[in-house]
Amino acid sequence: MIQIKNVSKVYRNDTVETKALDDVAFEIKKGEFVAIMGPSGSGKSTLMHILGALDTPTSGTYILDGEEVGKLSDDKLAEIRNKKIGFVFQAFNLLPRTTAMKNVMLPMVYGDVAKSEREARAKKYLEMVGLGDRMQHTSSQLSGGQMQRVAIARSLVMDPAIILADEPTGNIASNQASEIMAIFQDLNEQGHTIIMITHEPDIAEHAKRIIHIKDGKIVKDSDKHSQRRAK
Ligand SMILES: Nc1ncnc2c1ncn2[C@@H]1O[C@H](COP(=O)(O)OP(=O)(O)O)[C@@H](O)[C@H]1O
Ligand SMILES: [Mg+2]
């Protein structure tokens, strides 16, 4: 499903050059639950942006479902981000003063889902994450864990094959973090491919595979077979 081949990313400005990713290679198959773990500044968010088709590598290739992402048009990239990938961010990225229901419906507005269908689907996914009784609450009326569950419901409404989460428990209390991890494990059992970025080892432990990254390089991959194949 995902092939990352010899990917490097260099950020340049007038005076400095930062190599955020240095010749990274791995594959992720459909149905995997992978954590990408590393300390702050190791290149995790950079890798997430590339995997999410939000940014492109400086060199190397990213192949998603057989298509080289770096060669796609902006329209096609926008479509991939809307339909193929569900994003979950550390800061939730919900609209303030807007109900859980409206937040969850938003991707469907851009995704050409019939109006009659939007509400039913939003309701279904909010119930799935245990927020059936909070659908009319605005973001500011919800706890961190609840906001992240709204964001997870939002990530699911276009039925994406991949869920990409960047530090999903970074801004929430630890008792609520385990609820979030339980939801990801359920989703993975239902067949969703999950890629979760974290700097916390106890959060990474919930995944089936851990890719360790340091200074822009993969230093360990618990799925060694995949590491061999990616070379
Ligand atoms: N837009 C940018 N411009 C310049 N340097 C950047 C930019 N984004 C990230 N970096 C640098 O790239 C490295 C990796 O950053 P990042 O991918 O955000 O790491 P992490 O998410 O693991 O903390 C860091 O040294 C960071 O300072
Ligand atoms: Mg980061």
Side-chain angles (χ1 to χ4, degrees):
M1 171 172 256
I2 283 174
Q3 292 168 285
I4 289 279
K5 295 181 180 172
N6 311 107
V7 161
S8 295
K9 178 74 183 181
V10 180
Y11 294 110
R12 285 193 183 90
N13 66 24
D14 296 342
T15 49
V16 259
E17 224 178 59
T18 310
K19 198 162 201 181
L21 291 176
D22 186 2
D23 199 21
V24 168
F26 58 86
E27 288 183 16
I28 295 176
K29 292 191 291 291
K30 191 172 161 26
E32 283 201 69
F33 183 177
V34 183
I36 296 174
M37 192 175 78
S40 175
S42 57
K44 303 183 298 295
S45 293
T46 301
L47 184 54
M48 151 124 181
H49 289 135
I50 290 172
L51 289 170
L54 295 159
D55 200 359
T56 50
T58 309
S59 62
T61 50
Y62 170 28
I63 297 171
L64 174 60
D65 282 338
E67 287 185 298
E68 188 174 338
V69 174
K71 294 197 170 148
L72 301 175
S73 66
D74 286 350
D75 281 355
K76 182 79 185 160
L77 289 175
E79 190 189 320
I80 285 180
R81 287 193 295 266
N82 184 251
K83 304 229 162 98
K84 234 175 224 185
I85 303 169
F87 291 92
V88 176
F89 300 95
Q90 176 171 5
F92 323 128
N93 296 16
L94 300 179
L95 295 178
R97 297 179 298 279
T98 304
T99 62
M101 191 75 177
K102 287 225 166 89
N103 268 290
V104 174
M105 288 198 292
L106 204 60
M108 295 187 275
V109 176
Y110 300 116
D112 281 334
V113 177
K115 214 171 171 181
S116 55
E117 165 92 11
R118 287 180 209 157
E119 211 170 297
R121 249 197 245 180
K123 197 164 169 271
K124 171 181 145 184
Y125 287 106
L126 279 166
E127 280 168 357
M128 191 199 259
V129 298
L131 290 176
D133 57 349
R134 294 288 188 280
M135 295 195 286
Q136 297 307 324
H137 282 54
T138 63
S139 307
S140 60
Q141 296 165 341
L142 297 169
S143 70
Q146 288 170 335
M147 282 194 270
Q148 195 59 299
R149 283 190 273 154
V150 173
I152 292 171
R154 180 185 57 188
S155 79
L156 292 169
V157 291
M158 296 303 292
D159 195 24
I162 302 165
I163 295 163
L164 206 49
D166 192 4
E167 303 274 2
T169 60
N171 282 344
I172 62 189
S174 55
N175 59 326
Q176 297 184 338
S178 47
E179 287 170 20
I180 299 294
M181 287 304 107
I183 292 171
F184 281 147
Q185 282 172 331
D186 281 350
L187 291 170
N188 180 239
E189 271 158 35
Q190 290 164 29
H192 289 278
T193 306
I194 300 183
I195 306 172
M196 174 178 76
I197 282 158
T198 184
H199 68 276
E200 298 175 84
D202 53 330
I203 292 294
E205 281 306 320
H206 291 86
K208 289 182 187 152
R209 169 182 171 195
I210 305 179
I211 296 174
H212 297 259
I213 175 170
K214 200 180 167 212
D215 298 332
K217 290 189 171 83
I218 292 179
V219 290
K220 189 177 163 199
D221 184 342
S222 65
D223 178 12
K224 304 227 176 49
H225 296 290
S226 157
Q227 221 178 4
R228 259 202 302 275
R229 271 199 307 277
K231 278 191 182 147

